[in-house]
Amino acid sequence: MPYYLRHHFEPDFDYMHLKPKADDAGNIDRYNLGYVQNVVKGQVLAELVPLEEAGEGPLDPRYVYDAPPVELPCGPNCEVDPAAPNRVLADANGYVFYHDGLITVKKMLNVRRDVDFHTGNIFFVGDLAAHADVKPGFEIQADNILVKGVVEGAVVRARAAIACESGIKGGKGCLLDAGDTLRVPFAESAELRSHGNMYIERFALHCRIYAGANLVVKDRVQGGTVHGAGVVYIENQLGGAQGTPTKVNMGYDPFKFRKITRLEENIRELRQRIIHYEAVAADTPAGKEEPVRRLEAALKKMDRLLRQRAALWEDLKRGGPIAERCRLVVPGRIMPGVEISIEESWMEVREELRDVRIVLRDGELVVESPALPPGHGASQR
């Protein structure tokens, strides 16, 4: 009795020769090429079935057997299903392919070229190492991510940690989002998020930083905003010349605060539209209802956004005693013009400060010196 090995993945998949595909409307997607065949532990990869049950359409003669094979082509990180010995299962999360005639799952994905129009966006269920650059407009996503090249205006999302060896040259839409720790040598014009600790070996210029735990910057932060929920340590310089807005906000959950910030932006944009709708409605002749309907819809949306903002602020303030562990530590200097807040207490630096730490005491910001207690100098860290 003949049998057929039916695959639940493409056995001849070739990641080196990907081509963009058109959707039902004829639009070509050049950014999502399907670089990797993801599988998860327990997923059926192949099953041996009687030939008459193999389905319609042409069958690959390589996988037709006159009799059941002695062994299924079960390779590394695969297993024969204990409950159904005719099936091959994935024994780990990863990507599936044939290697030396065996179905194989590899848990680590190495991308040995730029992430660009040759690879498209890459979404992987395991750990990923990008050995070259991640080009503008592209995105990679995995568990843990190592980028050996430069992130250039791209998006990098990790469910756990991100490490970038060559830096971030950002731009519009550049984002690194780590579920745990984030480590980069430098960053320019990017949004950096870590739900754990963040370590910047040199500098951050004009960045939006959200650190869920502690932030360490070994050189300087100049321009942009830092949101922190622990210690913010900036070794050499915080701020720059006058006219380079630099802010440090602490004491609240950075990611809840980010939601409020985005909501505030939506409210500002809607207010401008309402002003326009009011002017148009006032000049609309009687009987023309469309401008009035747009105005009424916008007013209703504004009411909803304002209620959402109030609820988010209440939730933010119930977030626990985050402010107690927050402090800004700068052994170097804080430049004039830097704005600093912990919870609702705020200050603007008027004159250059050197070797200080700033903490919240009894609801007020207090500037103390030295920045580090005796015995905790840079040579001992």
Side-chain angles (χ1 to χ4, degrees):
M1 179 179 179
Y3 286 83
Y4 185 72
L5 186 64
R6 182 165 58 198
H7 293 82
H8 295 274
F9 67 97
E10 173 51 60
D12 297 319
F13 176 78
D14 183 3
Y15 70 95
M16 293 294 292
H17 298 89
L18 302 172
K19 295 181 179 180
K21 298 178 181 178
D23 61 18
D24 295 337
N27 300 311
I28 303 296
D29 186 351
R30 301 184 184 278
Y31 286 87
N32 294 290
L33 307 181
Y35 183 79
V36 64
Q37 296 190 100
N38 285 296
V39 295
V40 296
K41 182 178 175 66
Q43 182 174 332
V44 177
L45 304 178
E47 55 186 329
L48 192 68
V49 297
L51 190 61
E52 62 268 20
E53 298 177 14
E56 299 179 359
L59 301 180
D60 191 326
R62 294 175 297 173
Y63 305 113
V64 175
Y65 302 91
D66 294 332
V70 176
E71 292 184 355
L72 295 178
C74 188
N77 295 313
C78 298
E79 66 173 355
V80 175
D81 188 349
N86 64 318
R87 300 196 302 184
V88 177
L89 306 179
D91 195 35
N93 295 350
Y95 67 94
V96 61
F97 64 108
Y98 263 96
H99 180 66
D100 291 339
L102 299 177
I103 299 172
T104 300
V105 172
K106 195 167 184 181
K107 295 184 283 186
M108 177 76 184
L109 174 63
N110 287 283
V111 182
R112 301 187 185 278
R113 63 184 305 166
D114 289 344
V115 176
D116 57 14
F117 287 108
H118 292 94
T119 65
N121 298 326
I122 301 175
F123 304 100
F124 185 51
V125 296
D127 295 340
L128 183 153
H131 292 256
D133 298 341
V134 186
K135 293 298 185 179
F138 289 89
E139 179 175 351
I140 59 176
Q141 187 176 133
D143 284 347
N144 293 283
I145 296 178
L146 169 65
V147 180
K148 291 182 173 290
V150 177
V151 177
E152 304 178 18
V155 175
V156 179
R157 298 180 188 271
R159 290 174 284 274
I162 296 174
C164 180
E165 293 186 350
S166 300
I168 315 301
K169 294 183 178 178
K172 185 178 180 181
C174 184
L175 167 66
L176 279 78
D177 187 352
D180 192 1
T181 59
L182 172 61
R183 179 182 289 265
V184 300
F186 69 86
E188 301 175 4
S189 302
E191 182 170 330
L192 309 177
R193 306 179 202 159
S194 69
H195 291 261
N197 295 322
M198 186 183 304
Y199 186 86
I200 301 175
E201 296 171 9
R202 292 163 57 195
F203 58 81
L205 305 180
H206 309 290
C207 292
R208 298 179 306 280
I209 296 174
Y210 299 87
N214 302 315
L215 167 67
V216 173
V217 183
K218 294 295 288 181
D219 184 11
R220 71 189 190 277
V221 172
Q222 184 173 325
T225 305
V226 172
H227 299 273
V231 175
V232 174
Y233 176 90
I234 301 167
E235 186 153 309
N236 287 334
Q237 181 174 314
L238 172 59
Q242 292 284 0
T244 306
T246 307
K247 300 179 180 180
V248 177
N249 300 324
M250 296 182 289
Y252 295 117
D253 183 307
F255 301 99
K256 291 180 180 179
F257 196 90
R258 179 177 174 273
K259 289 181 181 179
I260 292 176
T261 301
R262 297 181 67 182
L263 188 58
E264 293 281 7
E265 293 172 357
N266 293 336
I267 289 172
R268 283 195 296 270
E269 292 174 2
L270 184 57
R271 280 201 177 111
Q272 294 299 315
R273 291 208 304 270
I274 287 174
I275 292 171
H276 172 71
Y277 292 158
E278 286 175 338
V280 172
D283 292 337
T284 299
K288 299 290 186 178
E289 299 179 355
E290 183 58 29
V292 175
R293 282 200 295 268
R294 286 202 300 266
L295 176 58
E296 291 175 348
L299 290 171
K300 289 180 180 178
K301 184 176 181 180
M302 176 61 78
D303 179 66
R304 184 170 67 253
L305 292 180
L306 292 174
R307 284 188 278 109
Q308 288 178 2
R309 181 178 65 178
L312 282 172
W313 270 112
E314 287 300 316
D315 183 51
L316 192 70
K317 293 175 181 179
R318 291 194 302 266
I322 292 177
E324 295 177 2
R325 63 176 183 263
C326 290
R327 60 188 182 275
L328 173 63
V329 181
V330 184
R333 57 182 181 167
I334 303 178
M335 304 300 289
V338 172
E339 298 180 24
I340 301 164
S341 66
I342 302 179
E343 284 191 337
E344 297 180 358
S345 298
W346 176 89
M347 66 178 288
E348 181 178 355
V349 176
R350 300 295 184 182
E351 298 180 354
E352 182 179 309
L353 300 174
R354 288 182 176 269
D355 193 18
V356 298
R357 65 177 177 269
I358 298 175
V359 298
L360 183 68
R361 298 193 191 285
D362 299 323
E364 299 291 336
L365 294 182
V366 177
V367 180
E368 302 175 340
S369 185
L372 296 168
H376 290 76
S379 63
Q380 295 181 322
R381 282 194 302 276

